[in-house]
Amino acid sequence: PLTLEEVQMLVELFYLPYHHGALAQELLEHFRWLRANSLSVGVPATAPDACGGTRWRGRAQSFQLLCARTCRLHSRFVSAAGRALLYDLHPYLWDIRNMLLAASAFVLWLGCQSITAPILLGRDAEPWARRGGLFGELQALLPVGNSCDLFYHPPPLFPSSQLYLLRPLLPLDKVGAVAWRGSRSEVSQELQDELSCAPTLPGRLLGSFLSLSPEYTFVLEDEGGPCGYAAGALHAEGFLQQRDSSWLPAIRHKYPPDLGAGGPALGQEAVLFFHAEPLAVPQPVLRRFPSLVQLGTAPRVLDVGASRSLALCLLSALRANGSRGVFCQVSDADRQQLSFYSKLG
């Protein structure tokens, strides 16, 4: 059964509509302070404000621990609560779990910014446009703000106690593989099949992002290891030009067209993919939607809330650095990706 401490945490998360309990208040205070003081992040240790960066990282760690406790509470609640109570309260706890996954990863991402501090944009929403409670307050603090409502999803009919971790790409991750622990835990079925047939090839889905825009790459993990990704390019036009002028020629030289000849069909297809000319993106699209995004999850990720958190975190990072719109490229024959993006809204 739930412990007394867990019940107290649950009460503090849903104390009163306009009055939060101690846990919720602490989450909000940390998040507000971390966002407002993100300029102190990435300061070299020899700089005068080095102590400011140390303080920021200390509070960021406290915020991460609170987020992790709340995510564990969601998992425990699904496993231990009675059915009637579970179905009454789960939608609210599920919403907060998803928002905290995105907020936690966004704070981690802020801590990785070592070149230029992000420009946190966003306007205060009209009171009637904002959801109430802790969820609404957290949503308003993310750079995408009320845009989150574009991605509304009802809670799952069958609640899952699966624990997730969402984080930015880390230097310890293996470049080109994002530390996918073996070919059987890849991000998508397409990539899994591709790498099992041609394990020496870099993932065609992620290779250009990992090489040219690693600072906007996020990884979703469950208890089985990495199970999802979100990748983006802030300035898509420059990214696509660099991909076509430098990254693709290097990959084509490394993997000539005849490399996959005589091998499995999927392995040959993966090689030929790099030698096909990519379709040009129309200028009107690039002017209106200057950033490029790409997301995917493994088939075992059935909780759309985790996918939504991936999208919100990536969009928040892009929005924080000034992006005013995003687009994604999908083949009209790729039913899996079309279904995935449609479910995300």
Side-chain angles (χ1 to χ4, degrees):
L2 293 170
T3 65
L4 181 60
E5 182 187 8
E6 288 168 334
V7 173
Q8 184 177 346
M9 286 176 62
L10 195 62
V11 172
E12 290 179 354
L13 290 172
F14 308 102
Y15 195 69
L16 286 172
Y18 300 102
H19 187 65
H20 304 298
L23 173 65
Q25 193 61 43
E26 194 175 355
L27 279 166
L28 287 171
E29 287 173 0
H30 278 313
F31 197 18
R32 287 194 189 103
W33 188 91
L34 290 165
R35 174 179 160 144
N37 293 276
S38 60
L39 294 176
S40 64
V41 185
V43 177
T46 55
D49 195 30
C51 57
T54 303
R55 185 184 175 201
W56 193 95
R57 295 179 195 285
R59 289 197 69 161
Q61 187 175 15
S62 298
F63 180 72
Q64 301 294 328
L65 291 173
L66 287 174
C67 291
R69 282 180 60 199
T70 309
C71 290
R72 281 197 300 271
L73 173 64
H74 169 267
S75 178
R76 286 276 296 123
F77 185 74
V78 171
S79 301
R83 296 296 95 181
L85 184 63
L86 172 63
Y87 282 96
D88 273 347
L89 294 186
H90 177 259
Y92 306 101
L93 192 56
W94 179 77
D95 262 346
I96 287 180
R97 189 283 306 260
N98 297 336
M99 190 57 65
L100 286 179
L101 277 176
S104 175
F106 179 69
V107 166
L108 277 174
W109 176 82
L110 283 176
C112 295
Q113 302 303 297
S114 57
I115 302 173
T116 56
I119 305 166
L120 291 170
L121 302 176
R123 296 170 292 179
D124 289 336
E126 299 293 346
W128 58 83
R130 182 185 296 176
R131 289 179 60 179
L134 178 61
F135 177 91
E137 299 236 18
L138 287 168
Q139 172 178 300
L141 288 171
L142 283 173
V144 289
N146 287 314
S147 301
C148 299
D149 290 334
L150 293 172
F151 308 100
Y152 173 75
H153 298 283
L157 291 176
F158 302 100
S160 167
S161 61
Q162 178 67 63
L163 280 169
Y164 290 101
L165 171 67
L166 178 55
R167 59 174 177 81
L169 185 74
L170 300 175
L172 295 178
D173 293 316
K174 297 176 182 177
V175 175
V178 201
W180 304 130
R181 300 162 190 168
S183 63
R184 286 299 166 189
S185 58
E186 303 304 332
V187 186
S188 69
Q189 191 65 47
E190 177 188 5
L191 189 56
Q192 174 178 316
D193 291 340
E194 174 187 313
L195 293 185
S196 64
C197 295
T200 59
L201 284 175
R204 65 186 185 186
L205 293 175
L206 278 173
S208 56
F209 289 99
L210 292 171
S211 298
L212 305 176
S213 187
E215 66 273 20
Y216 292 103
T217 305
F218 294 88
V219 180
L220 180 71
E221 295 186 10
D222 62 11
E223 292 165 0
C227 59
Y229 74 94
L234 181 62
H235 303 292
E237 187 171 13
F239 171 83
L240 294 173
Q241 288 174 354
Q242 195 174 0
R243 181 198 67 182
D244 297 344
S245 64
S246 61
W247 184 80
L248 266 179
I251 290 293
R252 288 168 177 169
H253 178 73
K254 189 173 183 179
Y255 303 105
D258 57 352
L259 181 66
L266 275 173
Q268 188 174 6
E269 180 189 345
V271 174
L272 294 178
F273 172 85
F274 295 117
H275 293 270
E277 285 302 320
L279 295 175
V281 180
Q283 279 299 317
V285 173
L286 291 171
R287 282 195 295 269
R288 187 175 178 187
F289 309 101
S291 302
L292 173 66
V293 298
Q294 185 172 285
L295 300 96
T297 57
R300 68 178 186 269
V301 180
L302 303 178
D303 187 344
V304 73
S307 304
R308 179 176 182 267
S309 298
L310 263 176
L312 292 183
C313 188
L314 175 58
L315 293 177
S316 291
L318 292 168
R319 175 68 172 154
N321 272 338
S323 176
R324 63 183 185 277
V326 304
F327 71 96
C328 57
Q329 291 180 294
V330 191
S331 166
D332 55 5
D334 192 339
R335 294 182 178 275
Q336 182 181 354
Q337 280 293 91
L338 287 171
S339 171
F340 175 78
Y341 287 120
S342 297
K343 287 178 182 176
L344 276 182

